[in-house]
Amino acid sequence: MNRYLINSAARSSPNYSGLFGTGEYALVDDFFGSQPNLLPTPLRHLRGLASQINIGDLLVKDESTRFGLTSFKILGVSYAVARLLKSRHLAKGSVLVCATEGNHGRAVARVAAENSLESKIYVAADISPARIGALEGEGAQVIVVDGNYDDAVKQAAQNAEAYGWQIISDTSWPGYEEIPRGIMAGYTRLMTVY
């Protein structure tokens, strides 16, 4: 037997707008509406799997070509960095920092390069050479940390604080919520026709 849950509040309340207010959604729409390279990404039908799990159809949003990268992560990063630049929290030549296991760091590096910013991407010691190459191919300086992903996060945060660099993380912690929230707002573009 298949089970599923429906968020009844999303359909029953006329005031329900999701995680963000209508003003934030309007800012997201305005930002992405000004992006000439934003092309729709397709929905793929997985009819075989749908049949196996006894549902009528299953669609998956294919983000493998988003802005020339293989991930939706660039949606959130580009929106959050644009907000920081517009509010003058970042200036040309600023350094963006994050820890990554791949896609988020590549998005940070790409957006940094597109905005004449530097990027320093921290990775765990066990990351593959191909991922390091992809990050470097986007213009990032890759810093390999002796340890795991959590160690890379700690080192990135320590160095950012010590040198006045800007952390661009899609995860939050106490005192660091605004940028991850902006990144999540940018991700909402996935739910539109694009």
Side-chain angles (χ1 to χ4, degrees):
M1 182 169 96
N2 296 319
R3 294 190 57 173
Y4 59 91
L5 300 173
I6 296 175
N7 180 355
S8 59
R11 294 190 174 118
S12 63
S13 172
N15 297 322
Y16 183 80
S17 65
L19 296 175
F20 304 97
T22 55
E24 185 74 35
Y25 289 120
L27 290 172
V28 169
D29 287 344
D30 289 346
F31 172 73
F32 286 111
S34 70
Q35 302 299 307
N37 296 329
L38 181 66
L39 300 173
T41 54
L43 287 173
R44 307 282 185 204
H45 292 270
L46 301 180
R47 291 184 179 101
L49 182 56
S51 177
Q52 287 177 16
I53 60 176
N54 199 26
I55 61 174
D57 199 359
L58 180 62
L59 295 130
V60 175
K61 187 102 163 109
D62 182 354
E63 289 292 310
S64 64
T65 59
R66 178 66 73 188
F67 286 127
L69 295 179
T70 58
S71 168
F72 68 92
K73 296 284 188 164
I74 193 146
L75 289 171
V77 173
S78 61
Y79 177 69
V81 170
R83 283 179 44 171
L84 290 169
L85 287 165
K86 185 174 183 177
S87 67
R88 301 190 192 280
H89 283 93
L90 283 177
K92 295 295 182 191
S94 293
V95 177
L96 305 184
V97 177
C98 75
T100 192
E101 292 182 327
N103 290 327
H104 177 74
R106 193 166 175 205
V108 169
R110 168 75 62 89
V111 170
E114 289 174 348
N115 288 284
S116 302
L117 306 170
E118 288 184 53
S119 61
K120 296 184 184 294
I121 310 298
Y122 290 71
V123 299
D126 63 352
I127 195 167
S128 73
R131 288 192 181 216
I132 290 175
L135 292 164
E136 291 173 339
E138 298 294 343
Q141 177 186 358
V142 178
I143 296 95
V144 179
V145 175
D146 184 24
N148 62 24
Y149 173 76
D150 291 336
D151 296 319
V153 170
K154 289 176 192 170
Q155 189 64 56
Q158 289 171 353
N159 288 5
E161 185 173 337
Y163 298 110
W165 300 334
Q166 180 60 63
I167 298 173
I168 305 293
S169 177
D170 57 355
T171 57
S172 64
W173 53 82
Y176 180 77
E177 291 97 10
E178 183 179 341
I179 292 170
R181 183 172 175 78
I183 290 171
M184 296 304 130
Y187 289 164
T188 64
R189 190 62 178 190
L190 283 167
M191 299 303 145
T192 66
V193 295
Y194 291 97

